[in-house]
Amino acid sequence: MKYVLVTGGVVSGLGKGVTASSIGLLLKACGLRVTSIKIDPYLNTDAGTMSPFEHGEVFVLDDGGEVDLDLGNYERFLDIKLTRDNNITTGKIYQSVLDSERKGDYLGKTVQVVPHITDAIQKWIERVALIPVDGKEGPADVCVIELGGTIGDIESMPFIEALGQFSYHVGPGNFCLIHVSLVPVLNVVGEQKTKPTQHSVRGLRGLGLTPNILACRSTKALEDNVKAKLSQFCHVAAENILTLYDVPNIWHIPLLLRDQKAHEAILKELNLIGEPDLQEWTARTRVYDILHEPVRIAMVGKYTGLSDSYLSVLKALLHASVACWRKLVVEWVAAGDLEDVTAKEAPDVYKNAWDLLKGSDGVLVPGGFGDRGVQGKILAAKYARENKVPFLGVCLGMQIAVIEFARSVLGLHDANSTEFDPETSHPCVIFMPEGSKTHMGGTMRLGSRRTYFKVPNCKSAKLYNNDSFVDERHRHRYEVNPNMVQQFENAGLSFVGRDETGQRMEIIELPSHPYFVGAQFHPEFKSRPGKPSALFLGLIAAASGQLDAVLQNYGHASKLLPNGIGNGKPTVKTYQNGNAIKSSNGSLNGVYSNGNGAHH
Ligand code: GLN
């Protein structure tokens, strides 16, 4: 096993996760099998208890692990399936050491950070690196390890110490350290400043780690004299200094690294050789760059201004949009703004929210917890249902669609989820734990579960390739009340997908509507750039007038791509001076939006 460690210096938010995923992709394109580990030095055992509005979304894995959103980037870029153990936190390490201590495993010794915590970290990495994550047998060739936080943080010290020992232990030729840093440009003189990077490399060395490669974030490519200076002061060969300058979207990063021959530098450190084949990736990135016809999707959520809270949903929308040759425009609509109270308190805000909703080609109500904005989400679902606007409800979004249907169509005015109104006389969404009913902790239905299609020719079955079942990821407590299903079906709401017992409703559809679909699971977690999630593809296809073509093609959009792109010879872009491609109209991360979802 070979290891690539990615650390970060100077400031946080440099895009270390995307860089590490891109490096993984580049190595994979060289024919290597790649796995990855994300280290989060915080004390929480996992991300499950952390607010998505503070920390970004909680990503869910097949095994039910609730992990940092960076694992989503790895899964998407490398098309792999990680396990909960691929996310290491301080909490997990200490918990394992303390458990061993209680069992008496340390035989009377004093238990200390060095060597006990640091040993536990190294053993964890070695064990997890061996788990196959690409569906093949046997361990991967390379494990990319990303150390969260910034060099110098108190919390990451035990990890740095452990990784220093680890690099020594695996030996040269098996370990490559890439340090991601910042080279700021001072506006007045336009000079690229190397001092912050010098300091952070010095810090790294002081802690026993020697960088092999520097990946410098800067607005433009580094000038030769700047590289020479960094090389001299940081003791890194000039050809091992890469610039991650601003690109229109993150799909460019692997190409940017390839064009700077990052693979050669990394493979040399690892005693490997290989040439990357990024044809398909390049072609898709080209398509993404030239999209101009918009598809407007209203995201009706608990708006808080941090778009990372819905990262996988945005990515899934993007994958589907690129497959349909549409430029994704996300209209952030704060659910609460659609409510009657807002009409009274802030009529302008209310009008604006409704204008955005009505100007959209499709409506998405994402997952969520708690009752804030529920009424607004119900109004959005009602609007989409009645006006035949394509709609996708994810998890809470599906429950919302069911509540709306119960109220408007079945006439059950107080129908609700017991999550929001435990006393409702028409509980159409109820708490259905898989385990204990009384024990609240760990009662979430988490991870991969199977959905069987009950109605073979429905839209969602077709989108899923007309397979008889599909495995998707879950994260919820409440479910549609099975006792009310017949009543709903009699009124035209079809429960087309269910679990193996037939008791848990997984997918709803309104056959009489162009595209009105809800899923109890989160399809966004398994969407990939080249394999958009079926239900998201359905939404975007419906919103851009292409649903029939996609359905005829059993959920594949590829035939929509004009010949020549996707299978023809891609135009390889070379990046020079950092200005080969310019971002045109304020896009960030390639997702265009009304600016309500304040991007960072
Ligand atoms: N709050 C709902 C539940 O627990 C939905 C959860 C979600 O959307 N992830 O069932």
Side-chain angles (χ1 to χ4, degrees), residues 449-469:
R449 298 283 189 284
R450 189 156 285 184
T451 295
Y452 293 87
F453 287 102
K454 242 196 90 214
V455 184
N457 258 320
C458 63
K459 293 186 190 92
S460 18
K462 281 190 186 157
L463 287 166
Y464 277 110
N465 202 27
N466 244 359
D467 289 339
S468 53
F469 63 82

Side-chain angles (χ1 to χ4, degrees), residues 102-182:
R102 287 292 87 185
K103 278 194 276 166
D105 290 350
Y106 296 111
L107 307 171
K109 290 246 169 7
T110 309
V111 183
Q112 294 179 295
V113 173
V114 184
H116 300 101
I117 294 292
T118 48
D119 280 355
I121 293 169
Q122 294 180 71
K123 284 205 190 98
W124 191 299
I125 292 174
E126 277 191 315
R127 173 175 63 82
V128 172
L130 296 177
I131 302 173
V133 293
D134 56 1
K136 297 190 187 133
E137 276 181 32
D141 304 306
V142 181
C143 177
V144 176
I145 306 169
E146 179 194 345
L147 176 64
T150 308
I151 295 301
D153 295 347
I154 289 181
E155 286 153 323
S156 48
M157 290 301 178
F159 290 103
I160 307 250
E161 174 61 26
L163 289 162
Q165 292 180 20
F166 191 70
S167 68
Y168 175 72
H169 159 74
V170 296
N174 295 314
F175 192 86
C176 175
L177 170 51
I178 303 174
H179 187 59
V180 182
S181 174
L182 175 73

Side-chain angles (χ1 to χ4, degrees), residues 367-370 394-396 399 419 475-478 520 522:
F369 294 83
V394 173
C395 204
L396 177 63
Q399 299 170 359
E419 179 180 9
R475 183 172 189 252
H476 64 109
R477 277 195 189 90
Y478 294 83
Q520 187 56 74
H522 290 269

